[in-house]
Amino acid sequence: MRHLPRLLVPLLLLAGLTACTNQEQPAAPSAETLAAAKAQLEAKAEQHYAMYEQMLKADNAELALPLGEELLKLYPDSAAATRVRPGIEALREKATSEGESRRMARLWTYQTSPMAGGTQSTATIYSNDDSAAAGDKVRLVFRRHTEWGQSVFLYGSEPGFTCAKNCRVTMTFDDAAPMSMEGSIPPTGEPAIFIEEDKAFIAKVGKAKKVAIEVAEKGKPPRTLHFDVGGYEAEKFLPLGKR
């Protein structure tokens, strides 16, 4: 190379670099390749949409929502995403509502069993702001018994509740104005307080999501018990005929 003219050497080097650069740049994908890739993505999106639509038809917003959100994330430009996107916010609201309804339904316990020579049916829920460690849990109990009939009461811990001679229990259903119903303390000494207007109380619970009940307990300051009653299922509180 030392015999080559000085100007020719740089030109040869430049030509070599250009050739290397051209070899390193991949060829642009063809239109056919791009179309095939897009078709594959669309097919996967449609498979995803089929599962999403299946959950919608089953009226299960809680399972449909994550499928819809995942579809929008993985295939945002697909035809399936175009169908999902307009309704995703409404679906999100419905899923939240369904989840809250399921949560409240799980708060109730229903039981039917022999009791004191008869049969007893109960629907029970704990107040949602009590301290279990302090032993302050209070139950709201609906009870039907073949001998005693129907009753509604709060059942707490010793030493129990107090109430005035003409006992009234103050309560608030959802955002309505506070109201009161006749109450009573059992003469047998159990840590309970009865709501004597049991039919009216149960009817109001059946239409409410929350109820707050003001109580006074022996040796404690007055407090308000909060119950998330929106999951109450009346058909599980079995009616019992009297013996």
Side-chain angles (χ1 to χ4, degrees), residues 51-125:
M51 294 186 291
Y52 167 80
E53 191 176 36
Q54 185 178 359
M55 291 301 102
L56 287 181
K57 289 180 178 178
D59 198 25
N60 194 329
E62 285 188 278
L63 291 181
L65 179 62
L67 288 171
E69 291 178 331
E70 188 177 32
L71 191 153
L72 293 175
K73 182 179 179 180
L74 295 177
Y75 314 106
D77 300 322
S78 66
T82 302
R83 297 195 297 272
V84 169
R85 194 171 286 111
I88 198 69
E89 280 304 321
L91 182 64
R92 189 173 287 115
E93 291 177 6
K94 185 178 180 182
T96 299
S97 176
E98 284 185 3
E100 180 66 2
S101 295
R102 292 179 194 275
R103 181 192 70 82
M104 289 192 290
R106 289 193 295 267
L107 297 176
W108 286 90
T109 300
Y110 305 88
Q111 188 174 21
T112 301
S113 59
M115 173 61 68
T119 302
Q120 177 175 274
S121 173
T122 59
T124 307
I125 186 173

Side-chain angles (χ1 to χ4, degrees), residues 3-210:
H3 300 293
L4 294 174
R6 290 184 180 180
L7 291 176
L8 186 57
V9 174
L11 291 174
L12 290 173
L13 291 174
L14 181 60
L17 289 172
T18 303
C20 291
T21 303
N22 290 337
Q23 290 176 359
E24 291 173 359
Q25 291 180 345
S30 65
E32 290 79 4
T33 301
L34 291 174
K38 188 177 189 317
Q40 188 176 23
L41 283 176
E42 289 287 348
K44 289 182 178 179
E46 289 300 328
Q47 290 175 355
H48 207 108
Y49 182 82
M51 294 186 291
Y52 167 80
E53 191 176 36
Q54 185 178 359
M55 291 301 102
L56 287 181
K57 289 180 178 178
D59 198 25
N60 194 329
E62 285 188 278
L63 291 181
L65 179 62
L67 288 171
E69 291 178 331
E70 188 177 32
L71 191 153
L72 293 175
K73 182 179 179 180
L74 295 177
Y75 314 106
D77 300 322
S78 66
T82 302
R83 297 195 297 272
V84 169
R85 194 171 286 111
I88 198 69
E89 280 304 321
L91 182 64
R92 189 173 287 115
E93 291 177 6
K94 185 178 180 182
T96 299
S97 176
E98 284 185 3
E100 180 66 2
S101 295
R102 292 179 194 275
R103 181 192 70 82
M104 289 192 290
R106 289 193 295 267
L107 297 176
W108 286 90
T109 300
Y110 305 88
Q111 188 174 21
T112 301
S113 59
M115 173 61 68
T119 302
Q120 177 175 274
S121 173
T122 59
T124 307
I125 186 173
Y126 281 98
S127 57
N128 62 13
D129 52 352
D130 295 326
S131 170
D136 289 336
K137 274 195 171 293
V138 175
R139 286 177 288 169
L140 171 61
V141 182
F142 298 171
R143 181 180 68 189
R144 289 176 178 142
H145 190 278
T146 50
E147 185 70 26
W148 311 324
Q150 179 174 276
S151 55
V152 172
F153 56 91
L154 297 171
Y155 195 92
S157 56
E158 297 291 350
F161 298 91
T162 64
C163 197
K165 184 175 181 181
N166 296 320
C167 183
R168 303 289 297 180
V169 180
T170 300
M171 61 199 69
T172 303
F173 292 92
D174 294 331
D175 297 324
M179 60 174 295
S180 67
M181 291 187 180
E182 182 183 354
S184 68
I185 301 295
T188 46
E190 292 91 349
I193 182 169
F194 282 81
I195 298 173
E196 296 295 343
E197 298 173 59
D198 52 277
K199 290 182 180 179
F201 184 87
I202 292 175
K204 283 188 170 294
V205 165
K207 299 177 182 178
K209 289 186 177 181
K210 299 177 184 293

Side-chain angles (χ1 to χ4, degrees), residues 205-218:
V205 165
K207 299 177 182 178
K209 289 186 177 181
K210 299 177 184 293
V211 59
I213 304 176
E214 298 176 21
V215 296
E217 297 159 286
K218 296 176 182 177

